[in-house]
């Protein structure tokens, strides 16, 4: 910067001497304020994309993603039920389009997710008579799935959520079919197979509710076990399906610090902020949770009142202040969706609501929360 200014000075002086008042060059076309420009020097900013976006059918959504974000995650296209619905059937159509969309735009492409107890067909865990599969059978299926999927996108998917949600709320291993049939070592095996399939890919553990002290401790213990066993765990993803008043910022701060101290990357992987009345006591993100629709749970079907809009902006500012404070540790922040229109929060845990959890409104226009995030990024950058 300084060198450029010095170099320009003689030219201006020459113009003045020549009798031409130095005219200001017409201002360059304004660079659109983007999340990736404002935050990209600190961490990657990503979005989960659905098939409408990555297939390009939602042209405005696809444009918005290319303009604003430096990374993508597939909302559903790489889950087991999408890719591998029956034992001998793999369907890569949507997944291939997703990966091509991210690569063509030069984005960091995330794979989500290889081993999870949800959105995984029942046959995976059963034998031909419908009884629980044996440990050996389930391990063989997991290995085949991971080698096939990770192998297909070797060198193109930069990082994988290898295991999703293996912990219970008390920090012990969740009693999922994976854990019940294989045992606790299913996590380690999944990472070994993923590493075998693409030794250069980053491998992550991903979960929700990690601000809860017991679950945080469980995640730290799990990560330590993996690292001690020589597993190349590259990072831990904290989903962050948050609300206006949860989780507590200090607890979030402690979680990021605890994971950072392990020497792995910390990623916020599924960020959104629910503004609607809470339908259930729980603040996690168990996708099987359902609550009945009631009018009082859907108070703003037409527009968000300004007071809530402002509260959402303040909440996003607070969250990004925490992320930026840990910018040595936080490697990526990914939003779970692009616009409020396509957020899963319109249908979870209550179906058919009108929620407002993201930075872009239903028309794809930036909301006050978007400006608040950019302001926080500028303030963190200094004058
Ligand atoms: C959600 C998707 O957004 C929905 O479309 C789908 O019906 C259910 O799953 N934690 C995760 C994500 O890791 O994969 C979930 O995504 C949200 C909670």
């Amino acid at each position: 910067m300084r060198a450029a200014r010095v170099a320009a000075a003689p030219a201006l002086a020459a113009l003045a001497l020549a009798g031409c008042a130095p005219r200001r060059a017409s201002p360059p076309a304004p660079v659109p304020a983007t999340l990736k420009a404002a935050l990209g020097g600190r961490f990657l900013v990503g979005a989960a994309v659905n098939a409408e976006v990555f297939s390009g059918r939602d042209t405005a959504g696809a444009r918005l993603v290319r303009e604003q974000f430096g990374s993508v995650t597939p909302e559903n296209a790489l889950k087991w039920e999408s890719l591998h619905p029956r034992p001998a059937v793999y369907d890569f159509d949507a997944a291939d389009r997703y990966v091509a969309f991210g690569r063509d735009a030069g984005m960091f492409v995330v794979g989500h997710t290889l081993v999870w107890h949800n959105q995984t067909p029942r046959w995976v865990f059963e034998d031909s008579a419908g009884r629980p599969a044996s440990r050996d059978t389930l391990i063989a299926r997991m290995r085949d799935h991971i080698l096939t999927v990770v192998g297909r996108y070797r060198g193109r998917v930069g990082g994988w959520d290898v295991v999703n949600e293996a912990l219970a709320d008390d920090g012990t291993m969740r009693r999922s079919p994976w854990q019940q049939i294989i045992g606790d070592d299913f996590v380690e095996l999944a990472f070994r197979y993923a590493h075998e399939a693409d030794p250069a890919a980053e491998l992550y553990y991903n979960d929700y509710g990690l601000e809860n002290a017991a679950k945080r401790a469980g995640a730290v213990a799990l990560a330590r076990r993996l690292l001690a066993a020589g597993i190349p765990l590259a990072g831990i993803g904290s989903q962050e399906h948050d609300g206006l008043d949860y989780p507590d910022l200090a607890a979030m701060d402690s979680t990021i610090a605890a994971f950072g101290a392990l020497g792995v990357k910390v990623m916020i992987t599924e960020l959104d902020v629910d503004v609607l009345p809470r339908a259930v006591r729980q603040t996690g993100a168990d996708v099987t949770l359902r609550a009945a629709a009631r009018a009082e749970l859907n108070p703003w079907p037409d527009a968000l009142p300004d007071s809530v809009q402002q509260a959402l902006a303040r909440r996003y500012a607070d969250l990004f202040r925490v992320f930026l404070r840990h910018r040595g540790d936080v490697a990526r922040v990914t939003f779970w969706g692009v616009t409020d229109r396509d957020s899963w929060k319109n249908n979870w845990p209550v179906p058919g609501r009108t929620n407002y959890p993201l930075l872009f409104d239903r028309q794809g226009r930036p909301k006050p929360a978007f400006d608040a995030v950019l302001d926080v990024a500028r303030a963190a950058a200094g004058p």
Side-chain angles (χ1 to χ4, degrees):
M1 260 330 240
R2 181 157 301 177
R5 231 175 268 146
V6 170
L12 289 179
L15 280 175
L17 281 176
C20 318
R23 272 196 313 125
R24 269 184 203 200
S26 57
V31 178
T34 67
L35 295 168
K36 66 179 175 192
L39 294 159
R42 314 310 174 89
F43 39 68
L44 272 172
V45 194
V49 288
N50 60 30
E52 293 297 302
V53 169
F54 66 68
S55 67
R57 284 193 296 273
D58 176 2
T59 47
R63 193 178 329 114
L64 197 54
V65 171
R66 281 191 286 262
E67 175 186 291
Q68 294 287 336
F69 298 96
S71 172
V72 276
T73 299
E75 186 174 4
N76 290 299
L78 266 73
K79 290 173 180 172
W80 195 307
E81 69 178 8
S82 311
L83 282 178
H84 192 180
R86 286 182 297 285
V89 178
Y90 280 95
D91 178 354
F92 290 112
D93 276 7
D96 285 356
R97 262 181 280 129
Y98 160 73
V99 173
F101 172 79
R103 300 289 304 177
D104 289 350
M107 293 188 279
F108 182 83
V109 177
V110 177
H112 171 86
T113 177
L114 296 168
V115 174
W116 190 23
H117 53 281
N118 286 314
Q119 295 184 276
T120 302
R122 281 181 54 174
W123 66 261
V124 175
F125 305 113
E126 291 178 352
D127 68 13
S128 52
R131 288 181 302 251
S134 69
R135 171 178 154 94
D136 286 350
T137 299
L138 188 53
I139 289 176
R141 285 180 184 154
M142 178 170 91
R143 182 166 192 275
D144 167 71
H145 181 83
I146 293 176
L147 291 185
T148 305
V149 175
V150 177
R152 183 178 184 91
Y153 300 114
R154 182 181 172 130
R156 290 187 288 153
V157 166
W160 285 95
D161 289 340
V162 178
V163 175
N164 201 27
E165 303 176 358
L167 293 166
D169 289 346
D170 66 0
T172 61
M173 294 299 287
R174 178 192 288 274
R175 296 165 72 80
S176 71
W178 293 107
Q179 189 268 349
Q180 294 284 288
I181 297 172
I182 298 179
D184 291 354
D185 60 337
F186 85 89
V187 178
E188 186 180 324
L189 290 170
F191 277 85
R192 287 202 189 284
Y193 300 147
H195 187 56
E196 181 184 338
D198 186 352
E202 292 191 342
L203 306 181
Y204 316 128
Y205 175 71
N206 194 54
D207 212 330
Y208 64 79
L210 297 171
E211 288 74 28
N212 151 357
K215 198 162 181 181
R216 175 199 303 139
V220 167
L222 176 62
R224 286 218 174 98
R225 283 204 302 279
L226 292 173
L227 293 168
I231 302 291
L233 175 72
I236 303 180
S238 182
Q239 293 183 7
E240 300 310 333
H241 294 291
D242 295 345
L244 288 172
D245 58 357
Y246 64 88
D248 175 67
L249 292 174
M252 185 178 280
D253 207 86
S254 303
T255 293
I256 297 174
F259 295 162
L262 294 167
V264 299
K265 293 182 174 180
V266 185
M267 287 154 307
I268 307 302
T269 51
E270 305 186 13
L271 181 60
D272 49 27
V273 177
D274 196 327
V275 300
L276 296 182
R278 231 186 288 177
V280 281
R281 279 221 338 269
Q282 123 152 33
T283 54
D286 175 351
V287 299
T288 62
L289 212 65
R290 289 278 174 279
R294 281 183 280 132
E296 64 269 30
L297 295 177
N298 190 28
W300 307 303
D302 301 320
L304 191 62
D306 191 56
S307 60
V308 189
Q309 189 78 267
Q310 297 309 325
L312 180 69
R314 285 194 301 277
R315 178 67 171 160
Y316 264 114
D318 288 345
L319 291 171
F320 273 81
R321 261 184 226 110
V322 174
F323 305 153
L324 284 162
R325 210 165 33 239
H326 291 279
R327 57 181 175 252
D329 293 325
V330 174
R332 171 166 55 89
V333 175
T334 289
F335 292 84
W336 203 245
V338 183
T339 74
D340 287 342
R341 194 189 49 203
D342 43 48
S343 168
W344 77 306
K345 283 296 185 127
N346 295 308
N347 289 299
W348 181 90
V350 181
R353 294 198 293 180
T354 305
N355 213 330
Y356 302 83
L358 296 167
L359 299 189
F360 298 94
D361 71 12
R362 288 178 158 68
Q363 283 74 42
R365 294 173 305 212
K367 294 158 62 177
F370 171 91
D371 297 326
V373 168
L374 256 57
D375 285 348
V376 167
R378 284 188 202 109

